[in-house]
Amino acid sequence: EPEVTQTPSHQVTQMGQEVILRCVPISNHLYFYWYRQILGQKVEFLVSFYNNEISEKSEIFDDQFSVERPDGSNFTLKIRSTKLEDSAMYFCASSEDRGLFFGSGTQLSVL
Amino acid sequence: GENVEQHPSTLSVQEGDSAVIKCTYSDSASNYFPWYKQELGKRPQLIIDIRSNVGEKKDQRIAVTLNKTAKHFSLHITETQPEDSAVYFCAASEYKLSFGAGTTVTVRA
């Protein structure tokens, strides 16, 4: 069964450093998303991406965040200058229509 | 934006009993309502979903009901088993998904 894949599974970084989280969505899906989940809390929407542009973003997705689809398969989330409060599990998701399929996540720890 | 409320936050049931989780939503434009199961340290997995033109949907031991007038929807798990223990999230959307806060379900053997 096709899956959304994410790398790395864990990322440790120093505050102020840039990180790039990588995702390979399911190949025939057209809609791509990033969500995050702080430990023990709900899954929070960050951004949606369709037709090579951002279709919607949340208040969390400020100027420090950006997304890119650099080629036909990868979808990346960049955090330019990480803060302590960016520590969370980041999930990529993709969909063909409505149902989201999540990747296994990248646990980001900002020290 | 959409606001999804989910109750209860924790639910403990005896194996074999039923579990019911309820969610309400605020945006009457929402027309898609999925449920996700998340085991500890793992990704949320879609277990069932319902669209606004349907009032009920069932898949083996899992069923979801939707009341669009009242803006609430529920997940029903019958004949619970230990492997049903997980965090369950409801969500609602017109376009992007907004998630409830989650229900931690514990099935006691």
Side-chain angles (χ1 to χ4, degrees):
Chain A
E1 188 175 327
E3 279 193 344
V4 177
T5 57
Q6 286 185 246
T7 55
S9 57
H10 294 83
Q11 176 84 54
V12 180
T13 190
Q14 294 291 325
M15 191 169 57
Q17 295 296 304
E18 174 183 287
V19 294
I20 297 176
L21 310 183
R22 303 181 191 280
C23 170
V24 179
I26 295 173
S27 63
N28 63 331
H29 286 186
L30 301 175
Y31 303 87
F32 313 119
Y33 306 83
W34 284 99
Y35 282 79
R36 77 172 188 190
Q37 186 177 34
I38 294 169
L39 187 63
Q41 298 186 23
K42 74 164 82 173
V43 179
E44 298 177 292
F45 171 76
L46 294 178
V47 66
S48 58
F49 192 86
Y50 171 71
N51 202 26
N52 284 320
E53 61 182 22
I54 291 173
S55 49
E56 192 167 355
K57 58 185 180 179
S58 72
E59 295 171 352
I60 302 168
F61 195 89
D62 62 21
D63 292 344
Q64 295 300 315
F65 290 85
S66 62
V67 289
E68 198 174 50
R69 187 152 164 82
D71 53 44
S73 59
N74 291 284
F75 180 51
T76 62
L77 174 70
K78 182 193 288 186
I79 310 175
R80 256 180 282 280
S81 178
T82 50
K83 303 186 287 284
L84 295 175
E85 54 265 37
D86 293 328
S87 295
M89 178 72 90
Y90 287 79
F91 289 106
C92 173
S94 69
S95 69
E96 185 178 15
D97 181 17
R98 302 305 296 278
L100 289 190
F101 292 86
F102 285 87
S104 53
T106 295
Q107 180 65 55
L108 176 65
S109 299
V110 182
L111 306 178
Chain B
E2 176 63 272
N3 182 42
V4 180
E5 300 281 339
Q6 184 172 347
H7 300 280
S9 57
T10 60
L11 180 59
S12 179
V13 296
Q14 190 68 39
E15 183 178 359
D17 288 349
S18 295
V20 180
I21 304 170
K22 298 183 179 183
C23 290
T24 61
Y25 61 99
S26 60
D27 188 350
S28 55
S30 287
N31 53 24
Y32 175 67
F33 308 92
W35 287 86
Y36 286 83
K37 176 182 179 182
Q38 187 177 31
E39 296 173 355
L40 190 63
K42 301 213 175 155
R43 74 185 84 186
Q45 292 203 299
L46 178 68
I47 56 171
I48 194 168
D49 56 14
I50 191 167
R51 295 173 191 252
S52 59
N53 58 346
V54 176
E56 184 173 355
K57 184 175 177 181
K58 191 171 181 180
D59 183 4
Q60 298 181 8
R61 296 187 297 107
I62 294 173
V64 58
T65 59
L66 171 65
N67 183 327
K68 281 221 77 176
T69 304
K71 288 193 275 196
H72 65 70
F73 57 113
S74 302
L75 178 73
H76 303 250
I77 308 172
T78 58
E79 300 171 26
T80 52
Q81 300 166 5
E83 52 265 37
D84 295 329
S85 296
V87 180
Y88 291 81
F89 292 96
C90 63
S93 82
E94 186 185 12
Y95 297 108
K96 69 167 177 64
L97 279 183
S98 296
F99 284 81
T103 298
T104 301
V105 174
T106 304
V107 179
R108 306 186 307 271

